Amino acid sequence: MLASNLDHFYAVIPAGGVGSRLWPLSRAGRPKFLRDVTGTGRTLLRATWERLVPLTGAERMMVVTGEAHEAEVREQLPELEDHNVVLESEGRDSTAAIGLAAAILERRHPGAVIGSFAADHLISADTRFRRAVREAVRAADEGLIVTIGIQPIMPSTAFGYIRAGEPFEILGAPSARQVDEFVEKPSAATARRYLASGEYLWNAGMFISKASRLLDELAENAPELAAGITEIADAWDTDARAETVARVWPSLEKIAIDYTVAEPAAKKEGLAVIPGFFGWDDVGDFGAVMRVHQAAAACEDDVSVIGDPGRVVATGASGLVVSETDRVVAVAGIKNVVVVDTEDALLVTNRQNAQKVKEIVGLLKESEHPEVL
């Protein structure tokens, strides 16, 4: 049956992760989704909320986040209803977070379709985004698990890919296609081949499904994890929640939902992809932040600044400076530089080595200065 509206659709925002490739701007106590890394005046979390709420209304928005971030999440999202905040005592990866949200919502609203959308992605052309979500909900109504793949604009090696196959014939979802394969981050040569073929989309990690369908897939592929999620969900809206969560949550397997739900569903031809013709970036490193700022300024030959531009002086340079102190930052004769100046840590790198910042975080964990993480 063709649904005339989205009153059965619930948006879930997993707001977790540290964003270690954006250190020292992103920290464990204030990760990137709580920051304005694009200079728009909105944090990534707030932008995600504003993109989704026209589809659901505030009452059908759920956020899964860490206990340490509860206060700031509530401050940034004052419309978020108390019973739609799901707190994690510790991160257990996306299967546990999304699976628990699905199980809670299925108990509260049997037959619900849920969509999971990361809190820290950047999306432009919101109208096109919402059109893709509407198609995805229609495909989910037919019993499919659905993802939204992004039409690639360059041969990126920073993203995973989805190979799209034959089209489905679904009324209200004309763009839906079979997912033939998930591919991990490719080499540069392979990425160029993917782009030229026209068969591949970037994997943006968005999943839309009937909550019951997602939970059935999870139970088949990871039964112990599914059983733990079920036990917690059964107790969630009862007085037994605290005891059950404290006992069960730490034992749940840490694993991404790609491996427990999406990829197994694809192998059984039960996964659809909706191509997304809108701007998207996971803002995963300072190279991505630089790219976003340069695109907004329509210039690659200047230094973009996050912070007070009056405290940054540059000549013969290009790149990105993040200034969070009263110091003057001067850059001379360096192309694609990245300088991040905070009160207790200074990072200097370039666009080409932006992904290596995660290695620095690993070294700091083993150093005498873990407090800067």
Side-chain angles (χ1 to χ4, degrees):
M1 181 177 69
L2 179 62
S4 60
N5 53 49
L6 296 180
D7 60 4
H8 62 317
F9 175 60
Y10 294 76
V12 176
I13 303 176
V18 176
S20 56
R21 291 184 179 87
L22 289 179
W23 179 89
L25 180 64
S26 181
R27 309 282 185 105
R30 198 156 187 255
K32 68 172 180 173
F33 65 85
L34 295 173
R35 307 296 301 262
D36 173 15
V37 302
T38 59
T40 62
R42 297 182 302 173
T43 67
L44 292 172
L45 173 63
R46 184 68 207 180
T48 301
W49 174 277
E50 292 178 2
R51 185 181 310 124
L52 289 164
V53 76
L55 293 166
T56 63
E59 68 278 5
R60 285 184 279 118
M61 297 276 285
M62 176 176 279
V63 175
V64 184
T65 194
E67 292 177 353
H69 307 313
E70 178 185 6
E72 192 157 3
V73 166
R74 290 185 184 276
E75 181 180 347
Q76 291 191 16
L77 306 177
E79 311 96 320
L80 178 62
E81 297 182 356
D82 286 347
H83 71 285
N84 284 334
V85 180
V86 176
L87 296 177
E88 302 175 304
S89 57
E90 58 180 291
R92 306 306 297 173
D93 218 317
S94 58
T95 297
I98 298 168
L100 178 57
I104 293 169
L105 288 171
E106 176 62 19
R107 282 155 180 75
R108 292 176 179 173
H109 312 285
V113 170
I114 71 161
S116 171
F117 306 92
D120 56 2
H121 290 183
L122 180 68
I123 289 175
S124 59
D126 285 0
T127 299
R128 292 183 180 183
F129 165 78
R130 288 192 281 267
R131 186 180 304 134
V133 173
R134 287 180 178 275
E135 283 201 46
V137 173
R138 272 295 304 126
D141 284 335
E142 299 299 314
L144 293 165
I145 296 173
V146 190
T147 187
I148 297 175
I150 309 302
Q151 189 70 35
I153 58 173
M154 60 183 178
S156 176
T157 61
F159 308 136
Y161 285 74
I162 297 167
R163 183 160 66 89
E166 293 298 314
F168 287 98
E169 295 184 3
I170 300 173
L171 183 62
S175 302
R177 299 173 65 183
Q178 177 74 45
V179 172
D180 283 349
E181 182 184 16
F182 282 94
V183 184
E184 299 293 340
K185 297 176 183 179
S187 66
T190 301
R192 287 192 293 270
R193 179 167 57 82
Y194 287 170
L195 184 65
S197 75
E199 297 178 353
Y200 290 82
L201 303 164
W202 286 336
N203 180 7
M206 305 178 199
F207 296 104
I208 299 91
S209 171
K210 287 183 178 180
S212 58
R213 172 73 180 87
L214 185 150
L215 293 167
D216 287 345
E217 189 70 38
L218 177 59
E220 181 176 341
N221 301 309
E224 291 186 10
L225 178 53
I229 288 171
T230 296
E231 185 174 359
I232 294 172
D234 286 342
W236 192 261
D237 289 324
T238 76
D239 293 339
R241 178 200 296 186
E243 182 278 328
T244 306
V245 170
R247 175 171 47 82
V248 178
W249 183 261
S251 69
L252 298 183
E253 180 184 5
K254 281 187 176 184
I255 186 169
I257 199 166
D258 305 65
Y259 306 124
T260 56
V261 173
E263 292 185 9
K267 291 177 181 178
K268 294 181 289 189
E269 300 184 351
L271 187 71
V273 61
I274 305 293
F277 296 91
F278 48 82
W280 170 86
D281 203 307
D282 71 351
V283 203
D285 60 33
F286 285 111
V289 177
M290 186 188 303
R291 182 169 64 246
V292 169
H293 280 262
Q294 290 176 340
C299 180
E300 296 185 1
D301 297 324
D302 293 330
V303 171
S304 299
V305 179
I306 297 177
D308 182 3
R311 307 200 71 80
V312 177
V313 179
T315 180
S318 66
L320 175 73
V321 174
V322 180
S323 176
E324 293 194 332
T325 73
D326 292 332
R327 283 186 291 269
V328 172
V329 177
V331 185
I334 305 175
K335 298 297 182 181
N336 294 318
V337 70
V338 175
V339 179
V340 184
D341 185 31
T342 70
E343 289 292 344
D344 60 353
L346 171 67
L347 171 73
V348 181
T349 185
N350 58 21
R351 182 201 291 266
Q352 292 77 12
N353 290 290
Q355 291 271 319
K356 292 185 178 180
V357 174
K358 188 172 183 178
E359 297 176 22
I360 293 293
V361 171
L363 293 172
L364 285 169
K365 288 179 180 177
E366 301 173 359
S367 75
E368 297 178 359
H369 303 286
E371 72 280 358
V372 299
L373 299 175

